[in-house]
Amino acid sequence: MHHHARRPLLDWIKQGRLAPDRLADALRLAELPPAPDRWRQLFDRLLLLLGCLCLGAGIIFFVAFNWQGLGRLPRLGLVELPLLAMLLVLWRVPLSEGARQGVLLLCALNLGALLALVGQTYQTGADPWQLFALWALLLLPWAFLGQSPLLWTLSWLLGQLALVLYWRLGMFDLFFSFDEEGLAWCLALLNALLWLLLWRLPERYRLMPAYLPALAAGLGVTLLVLLSLFDAASPWAWPAWLLWLGAAYGCWHHSFITGLAMGCLSVIAVLLAALGKWMEPDVNGFLLLCIIAIGLSVAASHWLQHQRREARHDS
């Protein structure tokens, strides 16, 4: 955050819009680095979201634990009444941004619990993937109206979970078989397209952080490469993996160290798997692989520290 907020000020200096000797004053006005009050606000928001998560889980576990002792109406009431109360609070009570996001998260959890409760009580016959797909779709209007990246992200995760559960049913066959390789390709390509879309959009129009689908796409292509090492998988896995590594480095170079760390982890996993297949190790061979893993991790750590120092130097 510090790096991204500081760069526009440096660009203003290069353009002559800000005198170099006023940079310190501009940074102070922009609260860079953040003041102690900003850190307190951050921790307050994190604790608020964690508290809402615990409340939502508590309602679900309470109903599940007392399932036998509660009738249909009490079960539905214990889930519906808090949901209606929270919607009323969102409608009528002015809330801070952090409190509003926390209440929206609690509503989203209660909505999922209500869908599961209705399906279990009335035995609708719906498959699990339908529950998660419906949950994700019902969250979209709330995420749009509430301008909540948290709900957009939750809906994205639920949609992928629904796709995974539906894929395993193998109900129809289009372009490829419904196996693990096809699922990895589907998730990797969908997340890569979403990453490209979010990356091209202006930051104020991004519904969710762009690095989340990017990391998911990286996980998908890494699994494809690992599958190709041990099974007869598609030969396009390796080019897709190298393309993702290049795109990740180009997008996150000197800016998003966590994404670069994900790339390093992917490279280490592929190298170790390739060495393991080539060596067919015994006990001593596994010890050697552990030593190699430590060496690669140390090298990656030094490279990431170098990237971080260059980022600070550029800023």
Side-chain angles (χ1 to χ4, degrees):
M1 184 182 298
H2 185 183
H3 172 73
H4 291 294
R6 184 186 179 110
R7 183 169 294 278
L9 297 179
L10 298 176
D11 293 338
W12 287 357
I13 292 178
K14 294 178 183 179
Q15 298 168 5
R17 300 169 61 185
L18 179 65
D21 57 348
R22 304 305 300 270
L23 177 61
D25 296 333
L27 289 174
R28 186 171 60 254
L29 290 174
E31 296 186 358
L32 297 174
D37 290 342
R38 296 287 298 275
W39 284 109
R40 191 184 68 238
Q41 293 174 4
L42 173 64
F43 286 119
D44 286 345
R45 186 167 183 174
L46 290 176
L47 291 174
L48 177 62
L49 292 177
L50 181 60
C52 292
L53 184 63
C54 291
L55 284 174
I59 295 174
I60 296 172
F61 291 141
F62 181 82
V63 174
F65 184 79
N66 297 280
W67 185 269
Q68 299 296 333
L70 296 173
R72 290 183 178 181
L73 292 180
R75 292 175 201 158
L76 292 173
L78 284 173
V79 178
E80 289 180 345
L81 291 179
L83 180 59
L84 293 175
M86 288 180 290
L87 291 176
L88 184 61
V89 167
L90 287 172
W91 179 39
R92 302 297 297 177
V93 179
L95 299 173
S96 63
E97 181 62 22
R100 187 170 63 86
Q101 296 296 330
V103 176
L104 283 172
L105 175 62
L106 191 52
C107 288
L109 294 176
N110 265 39
L111 177 62
L114 180 60
L115 292 175
L117 181 61
V118 171
Q120 184 67 26
T121 301
Y122 297 100
Q123 296 297 322
T124 59
D127 291 320
W129 75 268
Q130 293 174 315
L131 167 65
F132 291 107
L134 181 60
W135 190 3
L137 289 175
L138 291 177
L139 285 181
L140 293 179
W142 292 9
F144 176 76
L145 294 175
Q147 296 296 305
S148 174
L150 187 61
L151 291 193
W152 284 116
T153 303
L154 180 58
S155 181
W156 167 69
L157 291 173
L158 292 172
Q160 293 191 96
L161 180 57
L163 177 61
V164 171
L165 294 175
Y166 181 68
W167 194 279
R168 294 184 181 277
L169 296 177
M171 297 181 66
F172 64 92
D173 195 350
L174 287 179
F175 305 106
F176 35 69
S177 60
F178 277 71
D179 54 8
E180 300 299 328
E181 181 189 355
L183 176 60
W185 271 115
C186 187
L187 291 177
L189 292 176
L190 288 177
N191 283 296
L193 291 175
L194 181 58
W195 177 23
L196 179 62
L197 176 63
L198 293 176
W199 181 61
R200 297 295 297 175
L201 285 175
E203 188 171 358
R204 63 180 180 274
Y205 295 126
R206 291 178 185 174
L207 306 176
M208 56 182 285
Y211 63 82
L212 290 177
L215 295 179
L219 178 60
V221 294
T222 302
L223 292 177
L224 284 169
V225 169
L226 294 176
L227 285 174
S228 68
L229 285 173
F230 298 99
D231 296 318
S234 171
W236 293 101
W238 289 91
W241 180 61
L242 295 175
L243 179 62
W244 177 81
L245 289 177
Y249 181 78
C251 292
W252 298 330
H253 182 53
H254 293 176
S255 61
F256 186 51
I257 301 300
T258 304
L260 297 180
M262 175 68 181
C264 291
L265 181 61
S266 175
V267 171
I268 291 173
V270 171
L271 288 178
L272 290 177
L275 286 173
K277 181 181 179 182
W278 175 68
M279 293 172 56
E280 296 182 356
D282 53 7
V283 175
N284 295 328
F286 279 112
L287 178 61
L288 178 60
L289 285 178
C290 291
I291 295 174
I292 294 174
I294 294 173
L296 291 175
S297 300
V298 171
S301 176
H302 282 294
W303 182 74
L304 291 172
Q305 290 177 4
H306 175 70
Q307 294 295 311
R308 188 172 184 178
R309 284 194 296 268
E310 287 191 359
R312 289 179 176 176
H313 178 73
D314 291 344
S315 62

